[in-house]
Amino acid sequence: MAHSGINILFEGRNMVRLLGGLWISAKIAIVAIVVGLILGLILGALRTLHNPILRVILRLYLEFFRVIPTVVLLFLFYYILPQNFNINMGAESMAMLVFALWFAAEMSDIVRGGIISVSPHQVDAGKAIGLNRLQLYYYVLIPQSIQLMIPATINLVSRIIKTTSLLLLISVMDVINIGQQIIEANGQRYENGAFWVYGFIFILYFILCYPLSLWARHLERKEVVTANG
Amino acid sequence: MKLKQIFRAVVATLATLLVVSVAATAVPTKAHAATNNSSVSAIKKRGTIKIAVFGDLQPYGWVTKSGKRTGYDVYLARQIGKDLGVKVKFVQVNADSRVDALKSNKVDLVLANFTVTKERKQQVSFAKPYMKVSVGVVSKKSSPVTKASQLKGKKVIVTKGTTAEEYFTKHSNGVTLQKYDSKTQQFNALKNGRAKALADDNSYLFAWVKKHPTYTVGIKTIGPSQTISPAVKKGNTSLLNWTNKEITKLNKKGFFETNYNKNLKPYFGSDIKASDIIITNNK
């Protein structure tokens, strides 16, 4: 190659712009994860109660967010709802909202699964020493199920981070969107600029997600050890 | 999960969707008919105009390496902002989100190389045109295609969803189409000699042959000539009228020639004249 395409990354402010885009993606993911975790924990606990109406509502909420593809959700919230209800939120806050609701929905199912897998003897023992329902969740059910939830939660977190790459569809200037601007603006001079830009974005996402997957693997191994003594 | 339960969940989800969509269609309209947030006075009061542009279509709407938006459409957008006396807030869009961006009030004005078509006219309002475009055909300089009749029985490359595909599907005249998904793919196919010629918007081809001098746009225009216009939300007559006046005024000042020379000419070959692209005789 006469001139290596990697220079595309270092021209002008390209690198700063890409990292700025990554920050936007990360910011949206972090807010969505924090809000979604809290909401998901509450909703998941509510789903283990034996109230049929509550269960149906929460079940519908879960299915709604699990069945509909994220692209459709983003379009629905960003373009369709404002047309009909005259609600106008910025693209970034809209993205945080959609991702948080999606995270909470999936999280609620993880939490529910974790809580119901705690042995019923534990609940009985808790009741026997006079814990009320809230105390039962706080001291018995949640602490014992948290370890079961962690691997699935980390998996969900890395899915959220990766899915931020869809945000370019609703005009959020995320890392992919900026990457495409750079590729198109330099198409003539760097024929394989796309390779380097996407390669760099790959590394950025890898840096974000790989530690999470390492951590998940570590926890799973620990879990096997505790379970088998 | 048991089948019965799955069935029940599906029915319930569909029912909610139905309720939501009915509510969505029933409630609206009067809410925003009352206030037009994109009228000229509202924009002036707010101090900013939101304009939709492309970020990846050089030389029409793109971003330089220092992160500054530029191009033929962007230059016009900045001028409009200046003449309104407000700041311009650019919203980057993709081709398929231009109509929805207007409908959902995400932008006041679209200047994203928006070709006027009958279907789009039903959804948004177009102002006076500021550019013209039609389908062109590019082929090797060594065996150029200069007439449509030369394509009989030959293969022609197009990208799916373009006006070029539409044209050759309607008037095939013995042409076999090879359809690709992206610009990069279609140009690679031409370079690899997979077909006799390639058809696409001529404004795009002129820039491409400049970079690939062994090719030529043998047929500069084929089929109906179309125009590119600013678009506003349907019913926003205030901004539509203002934009029409603005385009007439800018034409008188020779603004579009300046814009052409500054933003487009460097990307085109010397055989392209300003009159192939811009519209100067607006009254």
Side-chain angles (χ1 to χ4, degrees):
Chain A
M1 242 184 296
H3 51 262
S4 167
I6 196 167
N7 289 335
I8 193 174
L9 297 175
F10 302 107
E11 272 200 8
R13 298 187 62 244
N14 285 357
M15 179 66 88
V16 181
R17 287 168 59 207
L18 278 171
L19 292 176
L22 183 74
W23 166 238
I24 302 272
S25 310
K27 191 173 71 183
I28 290 170
I30 290 166
V31 172
I33 289 164
V34 171
V35 175
L37 261 180
I38 298 166
L39 194 62
L41 213 59
I42 297 168
L43 295 180
L46 287 178
R47 281 193 57 201
T48 59
L49 299 178
H50 299 284
N51 180 338
I53 299 165
L54 196 63
R55 280 181 103 149
V56 168
I57 292 171
L58 292 177
R59 184 59 189 276
L60 280 177
Y61 168 66
L62 168 68
E63 294 299 334
F64 186 82
F65 277 88
R66 188 152 65 182
V67 170
I68 298 179
T70 322
V71 183
V72 180
L73 284 176
L74 287 172
F75 267 77
L76 195 71
F77 276 75
Y78 187 70
Y79 290 119
I80 313 296
L81 289 187
Q83 276 176 42
N84 294 316
F85 296 104
N86 216 21
I87 310 163
N88 232 332
M89 279 168 80
E92 278 179 34
S93 32
M94 195 58 99
M96 286 171 189
L97 177 72
V98 171
F99 277 49
L101 288 176
W102 171 38
F103 191 96
E106 300 251 6
M107 188 68 204
S108 75
D109 212 34
I110 296 173
V111 172
R112 186 192 61 93
I115 289 177
I116 59 171
S117 66
V118 172
S119 149
H121 306 306
Q122 296 285 335
V123 180
D124 292 340
K127 281 182 184 157
I129 58 167
L131 297 180
N132 68 25
R133 188 169 269 170
L134 200 63
Q135 287 169 325
L136 207 57
Y137 275 94
Y138 189 78
Y139 292 109
V140 180
L141 291 170
I142 294 191
Q144 291 196 49
S145 54
I146 241 162
Q147 209 175 21
L148 303 172
M149 300 172 196
I150 285 177
T153 308
I154 293 171
N155 188 20
L156 185 58
V157 166
S158 63
R159 258 172 69 206
I160 293 270
I161 294 175
K162 280 182 286 186
T163 313
T164 55
S165 55
L166 292 178
L167 292 178
L168 72 105
L169 293 170
I170 59 163
S171 302
V172 173
M173 300 310 293
D174 76 325
V175 64
I176 307 275
N177 216 348
I178 287 174
Q180 289 187 349
Q181 285 178 350
I182 294 174
I183 292 167
E184 291 304 323
N186 297 284
Q188 294 115 328
R189 278 177 312 129
Y190 299 113
E191 287 267 333
N192 42 19
F195 171 79
W196 289 104
V197 172
Y198 278 122
F200 183 65
I201 293 173
F202 162 76
I203 293 169
L204 291 178
Y205 270 105
F206 187 80
I207 294 171
L208 278 184
C209 292
Y210 190 63
L212 286 173
S213 99
L214 277 184
W215 189 35
R217 210 192 301 163
H218 168 75
L219 288 171
E220 256 164 71
R221 216 177 286 144
K222 214 168 91 185
E223 197 186 305
V224 170
V225 173
T226 28
N228 299 335
Chain B
M1 197 162 37
K2 274 172 252 138
L3 256 176
K4 210 171 155 191
Q5 266 177 299
I6 298 177
F7 177 74
R8 225 183 288 156
V10 168
V11 169
T13 316
L14 287 178
T16 0
L17 278 179
L18 188 73
V19 171
V20 168
S21 53
V22 166
T25 41
V27 176
T29 42
K30 64 171 184 273
H32 45 77
T35 50
N36 178 1
N37 286 326
S38 297
S39 68
V40 174
S41 55
I43 289 167
K44 281 187 174 161
K45 206 172 147 203
R46 212 188 317 143
T48 48
I49 180 167
K50 291 172 285 178
I51 301 185
V53 291
F54 279 131
D56 59 356
L57 188 72
Q58 201 181 28
Y60 298 99
W62 57 290
V63 183
T64 65
K65 62 186 174 186
S66 55
K68 195 172 150 49
R69 292 195 180 275
T70 183
Y72 186 79
D73 290 342
V74 174
Y75 193 71
L76 174 61
R78 290 194 204 280
Q79 184 65 38
I80 284 176
K82 210 193 227 167
D83 290 342
L84 268 173
V86 294
K87 275 201 207 115
V88 179
K89 186 170 176 277
F90 289 108
V91 177
Q92 185 172 320
V93 293
N94 286 317
D96 51 2
S97 57
R98 290 176 293 192
V99 170
D100 283 326
L102 277 176
K103 279 188 162 180
S104 56
N105 300 320
K106 298 293 173 196
V107 299
D108 304 314
L109 185 70
V110 171
L111 287 175
N113 238 256
F114 213 8
T115 306
V116 182
T117 66
K118 231 195 311 178
E119 293 77 21
R120 287 173 185 161
K121 264 187 187 163
Q122 290 166 1
Q123 314 240 31
V124 300
S125 299
F126 286 103
K128 283 186 178 178
Y130 63 95
M131 239 181 87
K132 55 187 170 187
V133 68
S134 60
V135 176
V137 179
V138 65
S139 48
K140 263 208 149 71
K141 230 174 205 166
S142 48
S143 64
V145 172
T146 49
K147 287 194 301 282
S149 58
Q150 282 172 269
L151 291 172
K152 201 162 191 164
K154 298 278 178 359
K155 286 180 193 150
V156 172
I157 295 166
V158 293
T159 301
K160 290 174 195 163
T162 57
T163 42
E165 183 200 3
E166 196 186 313
Y167 176 78
F168 277 104
T169 309
K170 274 188 197 148
H171 314 85
S172 69
N173 293 329
V175 171
T176 319
L177 286 187
Q178 263 184 20
K179 301 181 184 182
Y180 292 90
D181 288 310
S182 73
K183 304 277 182 215
T184 322
Q185 281 178 8
Q186 68 162 3
F187 286 124
N188 267 328
L190 182 67
K191 283 195 265 183
N192 296 339
R194 290 188 184 273
K196 174 83 175 165
L198 179 153
D200 202 342
D201 279 4
N202 58 4
S203 55
Y204 205 90
L205 296 180
F206 293 154
W208 189 79
V209 292
K210 173 94 187 274
K211 290 179 269 168
H212 301 84
T214 54
Y215 292 87
T216 176
V217 185
I219 305 176
K220 280 186 187 174
T221 59
I222 190 167
S225 171
Q226 291 176 302
T227 54
I228 287 175
S229 287
V232 300
K233 189 174 176 175
K234 222 170 180 68
N236 187 358
T237 40
S238 156
L239 186 59
L240 184 69
N241 292 341
W242 186 91
T243 312
N244 279 334
K245 268 186 226 145
E246 172 78 357
I247 291 198
T248 313
K249 193 184 94 189
L250 291 176
N251 254 318
K252 279 190 191 134
K253 288 198 326 203
F255 169 83
F256 290 102
E257 282 89 341
T258 321
N259 193 353
Y260 175 85
N261 289 332
K262 202 172 142 89
N263 289 302
L264 297 183
K265 207 177 173 191
Y267 294 91
F268 292 159
S270 52
D271 53 335
I272 309 304
K273 297 184 297 292
S275 58
D276 288 331
I277 298 286
I278 63 171
I279 297 177
T280 46
N281 53 354
N282 271 328
K283 297 282 146 41

